[in-house]
């Protein structure tokens, strides 16, 4: 949650900070703010609400200068007001801090600082930081004429802090310096040129300036000045961190003519599958070549149980993975919400593989669960989109999903890439465990054909637009599926909730008769996933049970299925594929339905209320 950015160099800083915040706005949009230093003068502007409010304000009060920090907020402590917007300042209005994360011991720190005369003006946890740094500046009075450097005061302050932070700090007393720090919240340093740096929560904010980045590690403190950058630890040791080149194309983070990122990303799904498969699928041999897993091949061959951990949409992708791995690799699989796993006492050992799925690679719950799994000795495998993210770096091995930057809060193409990678992992582990060449080839061929089939599904998107226009007047929906499509029913409901704010529930089709069917009447439509697969007849029966009670039904069926069409109110067709890959085709019409319902209802599609893309708090 929240996005921070800092820039130091020779360019006008305000547009750089604003563009960076625009690119990170998916991380939060409760308020935004900047602090820019010009000589010894600090200019600050903060506004509640979306970034446009800040942009409007800045038209009246331009902030000149070449060094500054910015923040985009997803509120945790304190209401989303102008006052609680970052940057936050010390008593003198000299030190300004932008923060992503939560300071857990802020109560004690605030009490201690109040006793020492500090005055607080906001309800945020973050405000303790500038005051604490101010306090450290005063303490242990430095020699006459030599003020304590900002980075030293920051280091001393952070030694007292518990919680998570990505920070950028500016002081008008040292106008040619930014100090940044990371513990538990993401931070990336972009090295534009000697003496010119951008530091941000997300690499997308850095991409317009440079592709040479350093992924800042937990416990690192950065000091950025015109003379260069320095990385030190909380213990004041100097570190050397490697620069990596980001291979994302800057235009991937633009809308490219689409009205919303969500639609653009839905349309990019055939490419997402192709990118996830590139160089990994050997169709003739029916195998998956996965570099990360090959390195652990021997240990993987001894694995006797798999636990999949994720949150939200990634969790639903994980549920599909459960069906895949059980059917084709013969492995017992459990799928766990990361937020629950971390508080349980799971039984796992060195023969357990824990697959951690995350688009951002920064989700706090998933990261905590990963660390717990590692601590217990399991082999951890990442299925992550953001290259260099914390989860990607902490797993024992992994398979990047290569979906490219996903900007819309509602995940679509990243989910598609996760399903692709899970199919590849199934092929890899299945072939290790006696899956035949014939079966391996069949899966590989069908996977190879998925992008073309997705293009067919997407070419019919106007039908979903029409359906949304008819159905957006309803306020409750069921999404029903069985076997491989039960998780996708859950995903369809989540998508609709997220972007259209309509109430939707995902259920296994067979569960309807155990209670939920009581709600069915002609005002409560059901979106039923009933392609021609091994559970087709069962689903058709469930469909009829709903119809018999006056329910309105949209069915997702296999191309040419006239039987289902004749029983329902509306039908959406998908091409035939292997049952284990059907989720990849079935999810798309539901994404489009959610998208078009949100458009019809005038919702903020890419930045739905109350949400943030990257959930880096518990
Ligand atoms: O970045 P992650 O994949 O770890 O995020 C997990 C969930 O927060 C995420 O999938 C969320 O549910 C999306 N908004 C779904 O569209």
């Amino acid at each position: 949650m929240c996005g921070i950015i800092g820039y130091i160099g020779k360019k006008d800083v305000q547009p750089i900070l604003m563009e960076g915040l625009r690119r990170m706005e998916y991380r939060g949009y409760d308020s935004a703010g900047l602090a820019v230093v010009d000589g010894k003068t600090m200019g600050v502007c903060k506004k509640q609400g979306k970034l446009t409010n800040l942009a409007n304000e800045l038209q009246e009060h331009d902030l000149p200068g070449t060094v500054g920090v910015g923040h985009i907020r997803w509120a945790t402590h304190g209401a989303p007001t102008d006052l609680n917007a970052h940057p936050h300042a010390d008593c003198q209005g000299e030190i300004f801090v932008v923060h992503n994360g939560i300071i857990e011991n802020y109560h004690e720190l605030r009490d201690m600082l109040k006793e020492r005369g500090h005055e607080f003006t906001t309800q945020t946890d973050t405000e303790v930081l500038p005051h604490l740094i101010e306090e450290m500046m005063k303490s242990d009075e430095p020699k006459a004429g030599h003020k304590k450097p900002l980075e030293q005061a920051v280091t001393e302050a952070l030694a007292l802090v518990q919680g998570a932070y990505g920070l950028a700090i500016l002081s008008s007393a040292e106008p040619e310096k930014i100090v940044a720090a990371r513990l538990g919240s993401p931070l990336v340093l972009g090295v534009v040129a000697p003496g010119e740096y951008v530091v941000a929560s997300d690499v997308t904010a850095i991409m317009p300036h440079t592709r040479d980045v350093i992924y800042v590690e937990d416990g690192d403190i950065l000091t950025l000045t015109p003379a260069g950058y320095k990385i030190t630890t909380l213990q004041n040791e100097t570190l050397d961190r490697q620069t990596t080149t980001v291979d994302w194309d800057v235009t991937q983070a633009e809308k490219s003519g689409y009205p919303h990122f969500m639609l653009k990303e839905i349309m990019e799904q055939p490419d997402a599958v192709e990118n996830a498969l590139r160089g990994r699928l050997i169709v003739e041999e029916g195998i998956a070549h996965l570099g990360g897993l090959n390195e652990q091949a021997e240990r993987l061959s001894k694995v006797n149980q798999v636990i999949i951990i994720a949150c939200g949409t990634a969790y639903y992708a994980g549920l599909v993975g459960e069906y895949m791995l059980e059917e084709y690799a013969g492995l017992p699989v459990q799928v766990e919400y990361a937020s629950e796993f971390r508080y349980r006492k799971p039984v796992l050992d060195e023969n357990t593989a824990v697959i951690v799925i995350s688009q951002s690679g920064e989700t706090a719950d998933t990261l905590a669960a990963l660390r717990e799994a590692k601590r217990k000795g399991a082999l951890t495998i990442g299925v992550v989109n953001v290259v260099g993210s914390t989860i990607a770096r902490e797993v024992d091995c992994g398979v990047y999903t290569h979906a490219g930057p996903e900007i819309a809060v509602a995940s679509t193409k990243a989910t598609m890439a996760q399903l692709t990678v899970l199919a590849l992992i199934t092929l890899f582990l299945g072939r290790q465990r006696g899956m035949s060449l014939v079966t391996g080839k069949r899966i590989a061929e069908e996977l190879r054909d998925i992008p073309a089939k997705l293009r067919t599904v997407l070419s019919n998107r106007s039908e979903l637009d029409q359906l949304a226009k008819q159905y957006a007047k309803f306020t409750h929906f069921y999404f029903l599926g069985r076997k491989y499509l039960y998780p996708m029913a859950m995903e369809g409901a989540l998508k609709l909730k997220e972007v259209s704010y309509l109430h939707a529930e995902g259920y296994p089709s067979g569960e309807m008769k155990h209670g939920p069917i009581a709600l069915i009447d002609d005002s409560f439509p059901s979106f039923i996933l009933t392609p021609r697969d091994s559970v087709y007849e069962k689903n058709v029966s469930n469909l009829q049970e709903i119809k018999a009670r006056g329910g309105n039904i949209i069915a997702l069926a296999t191309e040419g299925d006239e039987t289902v069409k004749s029983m329902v109110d509306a039908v959406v067709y998908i091409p035939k594929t292997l049952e284990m890959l059907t989720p990849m085709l079935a999810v798309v019409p539901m994404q489009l339905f959610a998208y078009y319902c949100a458009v019809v209802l005038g919702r903020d599609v890419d930045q739905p209320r109350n949400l943030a893309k990257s959930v880096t708090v518990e």
Side-chain angles (χ1 to χ4, degrees):
M1 304 306 182
C2 303
I4 66 162
I5 183 164
Y7 171 84
I8 180 164
K10 291 196 165 52
K11 298 181 190 128
D12 190 10
V13 72
Q14 183 181 303
I16 293 172
L17 297 180
M18 289 301 282
E19 172 61 12
L21 292 182
R22 186 185 70 74
R23 286 166 176 272
M24 290 191 291
E25 207 182 3
Y26 68 85
R27 298 180 69 89
Y29 27 86
D30 287 334
S31 66
L34 304 182
V36 173
V37 65
D38 187 21
K40 293 255 171 189
T41 311
M42 190 70 80
V44 181
C45 188
K46 340 198 268 186
K47 275 322 265 182
Q48 173 188 353
K50 292 202 162 192
L51 194 58
T52 46
N53 295 356
L54 179 66
N56 292 339
E57 188 72 13
L58 287 168
Q59 286 188 340
E60 310 285 315
H61 312 100
D62 207 24
L63 297 178
T66 60
V67 183
V69 295
H71 187 269
I72 197 96
R73 179 168 189 240
W74 186 80
T76 58
H77 295 59
T81 57
D82 286 355
L83 193 67
N84 287 332
H86 298 216
H88 290 292
D90 64 338
C91 297
Q92 305 301 317
E94 185 177 292
I95 298 164
F96 282 80
V97 175
V98 287
H99 169 219
N100 169 30
I102 289 178
I103 306 303
E104 285 167 3
N105 60 338
Y106 81 103
H107 269 299
E108 300 101 271
L109 291 172
R110 194 159 62 177
D111 291 348
M112 178 270 281
L113 289 161
K114 273 183 175 170
E115 269 175 30
R116 296 187 188 192
H118 291 261
E119 285 183 17
F120 286 79
T121 55
T122 79
Q123 290 88 50
T124 65
D125 54 330
T126 301
E127 199 187 358
V128 296
L129 293 172
H131 290 281
L132 196 58
I133 297 166
E134 180 184 31
E135 189 63 26
M136 295 303 136
M137 281 285 191
K138 282 192 264 171
S139 70
D140 191 19
E141 209 54 57
K143 287 180 205 134
H146 290 279
K147 204 170 160 125
K148 188 185 280 186
L150 180 62
E151 61 272 31
Q152 189 183 331
V154 169
T155 308
E156 290 170 11
L158 292 181
L160 303 177
V161 166
Q162 287 163 17
Y165 51 77
L167 298 171
I169 303 149
L170 199 58
S171 167
S172 54
E174 293 175 79
E176 297 212 310
K177 184 182 281 182
I178 290 177
V179 176
R182 171 195 164 137
L183 190 76
S185 298
L187 199 64
V188 189
L189 173 65
V191 182
V192 186
E196 185 179 7
Y197 308 102
V198 193
V199 64
S201 304
D202 191 321
V203 80
T204 52
I206 293 174
M207 281 198 303
H209 311 286
T210 180
R211 303 220 181 146
D212 294 332
V213 302
I214 293 171
Y215 292 104
V216 180
E217 307 260 348
D218 276 351
D220 288 3
I221 297 170
L222 310 183
T223 307
L224 314 176
T225 68
Y229 71 86
K230 186 174 71 171
I231 307 181
T232 47
T233 64
L234 283 166
Q235 293 71 39
N236 253 321
E237 291 146 7
T238 303
L239 296 166
D240 197 14
R241 295 248 179 261
Q242 276 209 325
T243 308
T244 325
T245 304
V246 178
D247 60 3
W248 282 359
D249 181 347
V250 75
T251 58
Q252 286 181 290
E254 304 293 344
K255 280 191 203 148
S256 318
Y258 285 99
H260 299 100
F261 278 111
M262 184 177 175
L263 182 59
K264 176 187 176 240
E265 289 161 4
I266 290 173
M267 297 302 288
E268 284 174 344
Q269 292 182 107
D271 304 329
V273 176
E274 278 164 359
N275 291 336
L277 292 180
R278 186 157 296 119
R280 292 169 167 173
L281 193 64
I282 322 248
V283 178
E284 316 73 57
E285 295 175 43
I287 57 168
H289 178 81
L290 302 171
L293 301 203
N294 278 337
E295 284 171 22
Q296 297 281 350
E298 201 187 321
R299 190 156 170 210
L300 280 166
S301 68
K302 297 192 184 112
V303 160
N304 57 19
Q305 71 158 339
V306 175
I307 298 180
I308 300 179
I309 298 174
C311 301
T313 287
Y315 171 83
Y316 298 135
L319 284 176
V320 175
E322 176 180 29
Y323 285 90
M324 290 178 175
L325 286 164
E326 282 182 354
E327 181 167 0
Y328 287 100
L331 281 162
V333 183
Q334 290 173 57
V335 190
E336 303 279 351
Y337 283 115
S339 54
E340 289 298 318
F341 178 86
R342 58 187 296 191
Y343 295 111
R344 288 183 38 214
K345 274 194 162 183
V347 180
L348 36 104
D349 58 22
E350 71 279 5
N351 291 329
T352 307
V354 170
I355 302 179
V356 180
I357 309 175
S358 174
Q359 187 286 129
S360 61
E362 302 293 350
T363 301
D365 286 320
T366 313
L367 181 58
L370 160 67
R371 288 177 177 160
E372 180 61 13
K374 278 185 86 169
R375 208 178 55 76
K376 292 213 152 119
L379 174 67
T380 56
I381 304 170
V383 176
V384 174
N385 192 37
V386 177
V387 175
S389 55
T390 311
I391 292 175
R393 283 183 285 121
E394 292 199 11
V395 286
D396 296 310
C397 58
V399 186
Y400 277 119
T401 51
H402 292 319
E406 188 179 66
I407 308 297
V409 166
S411 182
T412 54
K413 68 172 180 174
T415 317
M416 184 62 69
Q418 286 162 358
L419 293 170
T420 312
V421 167
L422 286 166
L424 288 170
I425 292 176
T426 301
L427 197 51
F428 184 98
L429 295 179
R431 291 289 272 144
Q432 267 193 335
R433 288 165 173 74
M435 179 195 288
S436 70
L437 170 64
V438 174
T439 306
K441 273 177 84 169
R442 175 87 206 284
I443 294 173
E445 281 162 5
E446 292 283 354
L447 250 181
R448 181 197 55 198
D449 295 345
I450 288 288
K453 291 179 182 175
L454 280 173
R455 289 190 176 98
T456 306
V457 177
L458 290 167
S459 68
N460 297 331
R461 65 187 178 282
S462 60
E463 289 175 19
L464 275 307
D465 189 6
Q466 287 310 314
L467 275 182
K469 288 188 175 111
Q470 268 174 266
Y471 279 83
K473 63 173 189 259
F474 294 102
T475 43
H476 306 281
F477 287 82
Y478 277 132
F479 283 77
L480 306 171
R482 195 182 275 267
K483 202 174 169 186
Y484 279 101
L485 293 183
Y486 152 56
M488 291 298 95
M490 306 284 282
E491 168 62 4
L494 178 65
K495 282 287 92 82
L496 191 66
K497 277 186 274 213
E498 277 189 297
V499 296
S500 74
Y501 316 152
L502 295 173
H503 170 234
E505 289 187 57
Y507 265 103
S509 316
E511 274 297 296
M512 282 297 280
K513 57 186 175 291
H514 297 291
I517 203 164
L519 296 181
I520 288 291
D521 62 20
D522 60 2
S523 68
F524 200 131
S526 303
F527 202 122
I528 306 190
L529 310 177
T530 177
R532 281 203 187 268
D533 57 14
S534 65
V535 288
Y536 174 73
E537 282 79 14
K538 306 281 174 209
N539 280 328
V540 169
S541 302
N542 298 144
L543 181 157
Q544 281 171 332
E545 286 154 14
I546 292 172
K547 206 66 217 151
R549 285 155 182 85
N552 189 317
I553 297 179
I554 304 172
L556 182 136
T558 303
E559 269 168 2
D561 187 339
E562 292 296 322
T563 315
V564 163
K565 189 177 180 185
S566 67
M567 296 174 188
V568 298
D569 299 276
V571 67
V572 182
Y573 285 124
I574 57 166
K576 179 97 186 122
T577 183
L578 195 63
E579 187 169 2
M580 76 173 250
L581 305 178
T582 312
M584 299 173 77
L585 303 182
V587 73
V588 177
M590 292 186 290
Q591 295 168 342
L592 287 164
F593 183 70
Y595 169 75
Y596 286 120
C597 282
V599 172
V600 170
L601 295 168
R603 308 301 194 217
D604 192 342
V605 175
D606 286 335
Q607 295 172 346
R609 68 183 181 199
N610 305 340
L611 299 180
K613 186 149 187 78
S614 191
V615 188
T616 53
V617 291
E618 259 195 84

